[in-house]
Amino acid sequence: MGPSTWEEDVKDCLFCKIVAGDVPGDVVHVTEGTVAFRDLNAQAPTHVLVVPRAHYANAAELAAGDPAVLAELVTSAAAVAAAEGYPDDYRLVLNTGAEAGQSVFHTHLHVLAGRPLAWPPG
């Protein structure tokens, strides 16, 4: 069996299904280009994923394909952090590739807040 096609990736993508409303998600923020929902495997009191509505496998692919939506991810993340009560103290994380911790291959920006976050991560 060869590599999957883009169409198969989108059809099977959990985050595409959440964006489409086919799979329930605890959606907390919506813009024209993004949807933000709570991470089911929360690593902090506030742990929200901000995803582009369109399917891009990772941050580099999104930056090349639609840089304005990449910027919109960050402004949506700031709005989420502020709405959660953390306008000045939050972490943003973009993982690209399995070895970096990416488990769903649809670009997603993690918004983490609500506890002290150590450095370096991981």
Side-chain angles (χ1 to χ4, degrees):
M1 178 181 277
S4 64
T5 66
W6 184 85
E7 291 83 10
E8 289 171 330
D9 290 345
V10 170
K11 178 180 65 93
D12 295 334
C13 177
L14 173 61
F15 292 170
C16 286
K17 291 176 182 179
I18 292 171
V19 168
D22 297 335
V23 170
D26 186 359
V27 175
V28 298
H29 187 79
V30 174
T31 68
E32 184 178 329
T34 70
V35 175
F37 50 90
R38 296 197 187 282
D39 192 312
L40 292 178
N41 186 27
Q43 301 298 306
T46 292
H47 189 169
V48 172
L49 303 177
V50 184
V51 305
R53 289 181 179 272
H55 184 89
Y56 290 91
N58 57 54
E61 190 177 290
L62 176 58
D66 197 340
V69 172
L70 182 58
E72 193 174 341
L73 286 182
V74 175
T75 56
S76 291
V80 165
E84 295 283 317
Y86 306 102
D88 300 317
D89 294 297
Y90 58 92
R91 179 173 290 170
L92 302 180
V93 177
L94 284 164
N95 298 317
T96 297
E99 288 189 26
Q102 186 177 8
S103 59
V104 176
F105 292 88
H106 180 125
T107 304
H108 53 287
L109 178 61
H110 295 259
V111 182
L112 300 148
R115 69 170 177 81
L117 298 166
W119 192 261

